[in-house]
Amino acid sequence: MASIWTFFSCNDKQNQKFHLQSEQDPKSKVVSQVVFGEKTKFNYSDFNDLKNNKYYDRFLAGNLNIISGKVVCTDPLYKELGLPQSWTIDKGKYPVYLYIGLEDDFNGRVAYAELVVKDEVPAFWELSLISEELLSDDFEKKMNGLYPVETGLSCFSDFETFKIYEQEIKDFYNIDKKANYYNDVLASYFDKNEFIPKSSRGKDWINYSLEQSDRNIIMFGSGYGDGLYSRYVGYDKKGNVVKFITDFIQLNETQMR
C-alpha cells in the first residue's frame, strides 16, 4: 500500500502543542491511527469534500460562536463526553453545515455535520480525540474518537458555553424534577424548523441560544438515531484545523472497535 507516515509540530499560536501522527494513504483515502495502543482505520473519501458531494444537500444551520477556542461534540441531552477536543481554534464565529441524504435509505436524514474553520479541502484527516487525561477509564480511552448518542441528537458547542448550558439544565430540573427539558424547552424550537430545509425530515435541527447571551449551541438529529458515532478533524499542510466533522452514515472499522 502506498502510504506515508506524517509527524510534525507547528509553532503558530493556534497549534503550539499540536502533533499529528497517522498513516495516510491519499490514493485510497484511508487513515490508520493508533488510539490507546490499538490501531484503527477509517476511509474519508465520502466526507473529504462534502461541499461538492452530490449525494447530500448542504444546509447552513448557523454560525457557532467559539469563545474559548475549544469545541464539544456530544449528545446535548445525554451529555456523556461533553469534553473539548484535543485541538483548539481561534475565537470567532464559524459556519456549521448539515448534509442531508438525498437517496436510498438515508434520504432526508442528517448524514454529516461539519464545522468549517477554513473553506478548503484538508490535507490530512484524523479521528478527533479528547485528551486522555480528561477521560475517566480505559474503556473511554479505547473508544476515543467516538461518542454515544442516547436521545437521537448531537451538537456542536463551545466548551465554556456547554458548561453553562449544563448548568442551565440542572437549574431547570431543580425547579421541577418531573419536567422534561426537551419537551418543555427545546421542542418548540425544533417545531419551527419543520420544513427547513425542504430536503430534510423536518424538525431535525436548531441553533439554540442561551438566555441573555450571544452563546449558542447547534443541535441536529443523528442520522438514524441512537448509536456510537465518529468525530474527525481535518488539517491543512501546516497543521491548522480546517474542518471538524461528525459522521452518522458510515459503518467502518472505527465504529467496530
Side-chain angles (χ1 to χ4, degrees):
M1 182 175 70
S3 63
I4 59 173
W5 277 97
T6 60
F7 180 84
F8 56 86
S9 61
C10 298
N11 294 319
D12 59 43
K13 182 178 179 181
Q14 179 179 322
N15 291 294
Q16 289 179 358
K17 297 182 180 180
F18 176 84
H19 296 282
L20 171 67
Q21 184 169 332
S22 58
E23 188 178 0
Q24 305 271 332
D25 183 353
K27 186 176 180 179
S28 63
K29 292 184 169 54
V30 170
V31 172
S32 298
Q33 184 173 352
V34 176
V35 178
F36 197 55
E38 294 188 9
K39 191 173 183 178
T40 186
K41 295 182 179 181
F42 67 88
N43 186 303
Y44 60 87
S45 56
D46 193 51
F47 60 81
N48 188 47
D49 186 11
L50 281 170
K51 182 179 180 180
N52 295 305
N53 192 322
K54 65 181 181 179
Y55 296 106
Y56 307 105
D57 180 35
R58 188 184 197 227
F59 172 71
L60 177 63
N63 292 312
L64 185 65
N65 191 3
I66 300 298
I67 297 170
S68 67
K70 301 176 183 179
V71 179
V72 169
C73 173
T74 191
D75 182 324
L77 294 176
Y78 185 55
K79 299 177 292 180
E80 189 76 11
L81 297 180
L83 299 168
Q85 308 307 297
S86 59
W87 44 266
T88 60
I89 56 178
D90 291 336
K91 299 176 183 180
K93 295 184 178 181
Y94 299 95
V96 171
Y97 292 94
L98 306 181
Y99 291 84
I100 313 299
L102 295 177
E103 59 179 28
D104 299 329
D105 294 337
F106 227 81
N107 185 42
R109 298 177 183 272
V110 178
Y112 299 97
E114 175 188 59
L115 176 70
V116 177
V117 181
K118 295 172 66 178
D119 191 12
E120 61 184 61
V121 176
F124 307 103
W125 284 100
E126 281 197 336
L127 282 168
S128 183
L129 305 180
I130 293 169
S131 297
E132 285 189 357
E133 60 266 23
L134 299 178
L135 300 175
S136 61
D137 53 39
D138 285 354
F139 178 77
E140 287 188 353
K141 293 174 183 178
K142 179 181 178 181
M143 303 307 290
N144 205 352
L146 308 176
Y147 66 101
V149 169
E150 295 287 339
T151 66
L153 290 175
S154 182
C155 74
F156 288 159
S157 173
D158 173 79
F159 178 53
E160 295 300 327
T161 296
F162 197 77
K163 290 193 292 184
I164 296 171
Y165 164 76
E166 289 183 301
Q167 186 60 51
E168 184 178 290
I169 293 179
K170 289 179 182 178
D171 293 342
F172 172 83
Y173 284 111
N174 283 337
I175 294 172
D176 185 356
K177 290 182 173 57
K178 295 182 180 180
N180 183 292
Y181 192 80
Y182 179 85
N183 291 336
D184 298 338
V185 178
L186 298 180
S188 61
Y189 294 98
F190 280 96
D191 288 344
K192 292 178 181 178
N193 293 328
E194 183 175 5
F195 303 108
I196 304 173
K198 292 182 179 179
S199 59
S200 77
R201 300 177 299 170
K203 302 182 181 181
D204 222 7
W205 69 277
I206 60 171
N207 184 353
Y208 179 67
S209 296
L210 275 65
E211 291 185 8
Q212 299 179 343
S213 77
D214 61 349
R215 296 174 181 265
N216 65 323
I217 300 173
I218 296 181
M219 306 181 190
F220 35 85
S222 54
Y224 276 123
D226 298 349
L228 195 62
Y229 297 108
S230 302
R231 301 178 304 251
Y232 307 98
V233 57
Y235 301 100
D236 65 16
K237 291 181 179 179
K238 294 182 178 180
N240 299 300
V241 174
V242 296
K243 299 284 178 65
F244 177 51
I245 286 175
T246 183
D247 164 20
F248 303 122
I249 192 171
Q250 295 195 98
L251 180 63
N252 51 43
E253 291 183 42
T254 293
Q255 289 157 303
M256 293 186 286
R257 274 188 275 150

